């Protein structure tokens, strides 16, 4: 059974940075593609970034140039470096994983993922 545990959330001012981490417990991370999602109150969960087992990333347009997704398979950990944060980035952030290669079609669709963490809150004040 795969378990995901996020950490690194917090409160920052606009323009600040945070780095989220997601610890992966289960099988070898090298056989899973992984992603970061977020959900603000009253809104649907949306994809932020995804990464294939070989490190190939995919980003939502809203975070391109500001967020960087990365993974360290030797440490079973997924990361999300968030720079130039905006108030609209405020949300609960979730990491997710699924077995196999990242799909070329809609890799940021929540339906592509089988395993989810509990989330970590990110709050950006203006």
């Amino acid at each position: 059974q795969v378990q995901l545990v996020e950490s690194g959330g917090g409160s920052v001012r606009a323009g600040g940075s945070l780095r989220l981490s997601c610890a992966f417990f289960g099988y070898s991370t090298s056989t899973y593609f992984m992603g970061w999602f977020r959900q603000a109150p009253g809104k649907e969960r949306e994809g932020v970034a995804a990464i294939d087992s070989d490190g190939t990333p995919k980003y939502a347009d809203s975070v391109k140039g500001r967020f960087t997704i990365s993974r360290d398979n030797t440490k079973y950990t997924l990361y999300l470096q968030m720079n130039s944060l905006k108030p609209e980035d405020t949300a609960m952030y979730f990491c997710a994983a699924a077995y196999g290669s990242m799909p070329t079609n809609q890799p940021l669709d929540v339906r592509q993922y089988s395993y989810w963490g509990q989330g970590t809150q990110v709050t950006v004040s203006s």
Side-chain angles (χ1 to χ4, degrees), residues 54-118:
D54 65 357
T56 301
K58 173 70 176 179
Y59 296 97
D61 289 343
S62 59
V63 305
K64 278 181 181 176
R66 301 189 299 122
F67 292 10
T68 302
I69 189 171
S70 62
R71 61 192 292 167
D72 186 336
N73 291 336
T74 65
K75 296 182 178 179
Y76 294 74
T77 305
L78 176 72
Y79 303 99
L80 185 68
Q81 177 67 44
M82 304 186 294
N83 299 328
S84 302
L85 282 161
K86 305 175 180 180
E88 51 263 44
D89 294 318
T90 295
M92 184 73 77
Y93 283 69
F94 301 88
C95 73
Y99 184 80
S101 298
M102 186 171 70
T104 55
N105 185 33
Q106 298 184 318
L108 296 177
D109 189 324
V110 296
R111 295 169 293 183
Q112 303 279 17
Y113 293 81
S114 306
Y115 305 100
W116 293 86
Q118 294 299 306

